[in-house]
Amino acid sequence: MAGRLDGKVAVITGGASGIGAATAARFVAEGAKVLLGDLQDEVGEKLAASLGDGAAYRHCNVAREPQVKGLIDEAVDRFGRLDIVFNNAGFGGAMGSFEDTSVDEYDLTMDVLLKSVFLGIKHASPYLKAQRSGSIISTASVCGLMPTIGAHLYNVAKAGVIMMTKTAAVELAEYDIRVNCICPGYVATQLHVGRTLSELDADEAAERMDKARERTNESQPIARMGEAEDIASMALFLAGDESTWVTGTAQVVDGGLTLGKPWRKLAPMLTEHRPMRMYVPED
Ligand code: NAD
């Protein structure tokens, strides 16, 4: 059976773990060739090997321009073309109050979460423009739409990713290149356990993840935490030919988190069913 990405070549940053790793597996299963970039070399190499000839890995710090350019150039050298760039690498960034955050922490957070997206778009553009087709996808967050306590700079960077997406989409539409981003809600990845999984012992990581799942189950309309595959499904849609008229969008994939409180918490406040009384003015 034909794959949805047959013949296409993709670059995925943050491809060693979580959303990037799930998307890599999905893209390869749908016929794409994929080059993964990440800092976790051992994990990334292993993952690429497990995905077969359709996948390869290269060390890439997305905050460094020559490394992002090198990753994109290698995809073209290795696989002969470029169709999809998924700017996905990320971390939690600086946490805490404005007064406690240093300028170095600010720069690092913005470099990894926002400059990286600029670099991905910048260095993919010449290839995609020459080809007059392509799909650029970036991972923003619901935090780019509504603030999260303590993660000020993460919120700001992700809001920047949404606007970078829209701005780039205007320029690149002239070349039939689509630019979209995804705003995930809470997704069960190592980002939620605070450190790379290899730094924690398995029990501690599982315990932290269980707690995160519990919190999420209680707090949002669809009572489960997102899985990396939920986001990979949206990335697949945006990468493939079913979305050729979709550009400049921020696709929210969040189990209803941005809708606010779940009905099961609101309903008990409505103690009885009362039809609304009509206001009838007196004569
Ligand atoms: P993850 O930690 O499993 O994956 C992130 C990957 O990015 C890791 O493999 C990490 O090594 C890599 N990375 C970090 N800094 C890098 C750098 N400078 N250069 C190259 N690679 C780097 O977490 P994830 O949840 O899969 O995160 C993927 C994206 O999703 C991130 O942009 C994150 O902000 C975003 N996101 C995650 C959630 C969530 O709840 N997990 C929600 C919204 C958005």
Side-chain angles (χ1 to χ4, degrees), residues 25 69 79 83 93 98 123 142 148 162 177 196 213 223 245 252 281:
K69 182 173 182 333
F79 297 126
D83 301 281
F98 275 89
H123 291 293
V142 291
T148 320
I162 294 169
I177 300 163
T196 59
R213 282 179 197 283
W245 211 48
V252 175

Side-chain angles (χ1 to χ4, degrees), residues 34-175:
V34 176
L35 181 62
L36 307 175
D38 206 294
L39 299 175
Q40 300 187 69
D41 296 338
E42 217 181 303
V43 189
E45 299 275 9
K46 229 172 163 179
L47 175 67
S50 75
L51 294 175
D53 290 346
Y57 174 84
R58 178 185 171 112
H59 178 90
C60 174
N61 180 351
V62 292
R64 300 276 176 267
E65 181 169 17
Q67 296 189 33
V68 175
K69 182 173 182 333
L71 184 73
I72 289 171
D73 289 347
E74 181 176 331
V76 177
D77 289 348
R78 187 183 269 268
F79 297 126
R81 55 183 289 125
L82 181 70
D83 301 281
I84 303 151
V85 174
F86 188 19
N87 301 306
N88 165 73
F91 72 144
M95 299 290 284
S97 68
F98 275 89
E99 67 180 278
D100 289 336
T101 304
S102 70
V103 170
D104 284 349
E105 287 169 333
Y106 174 92
D107 286 343
L108 177 67
T109 305
M110 291 299 163
D111 282 0
V112 174
L113 295 177
L114 185 56
K115 189 166 85 180
S116 58
V117 173
F118 163 70
L119 293 174
I121 296 172
K122 176 178 167 63
H123 291 293
S125 288
Y127 292 117
L128 302 181
K129 278 182 174 175
Q131 201 174 275
R132 299 196 74 86
S133 69
S135 173
I136 299 174
I137 309 161
S138 304
T139 310
S141 169
V142 291
C143 298
L145 300 168
M146 57 179 199
T148 320
I149 294 167
H152 299 325
L153 298 181
Y154 186 87
N155 301 338
V156 173
K158 293 300 190 181
V161 172
I162 294 169
M163 187 47 75
M164 184 113 52
T165 298
K166 290 178 188 287
T167 304
V170 175
E171 178 193 324
L172 297 175
E174 302 295 325
Y175 303 85

Side-chain angles (χ1 to χ4, degrees), residues 1-24:
M1 213 172 82
R4 288 161 72 183
L5 301 181
D6 275 348
K8 295 193 194 290
V9 173
V11 165
I12 301 178
T13 67
S17 169
I19 292 167
T23 305

Side-chain angles (χ1 to χ4, degrees), residues 239-263:
D241 294 339
E242 289 148 300
S243 60
T244 48
W245 211 48
V246 179
T247 197
T249 67
Q251 301 282 344
V252 175
V253 184
D254 72 345
L257 177 70
T258 42
L259 297 173
K261 279 198 169 57
W263 176 247

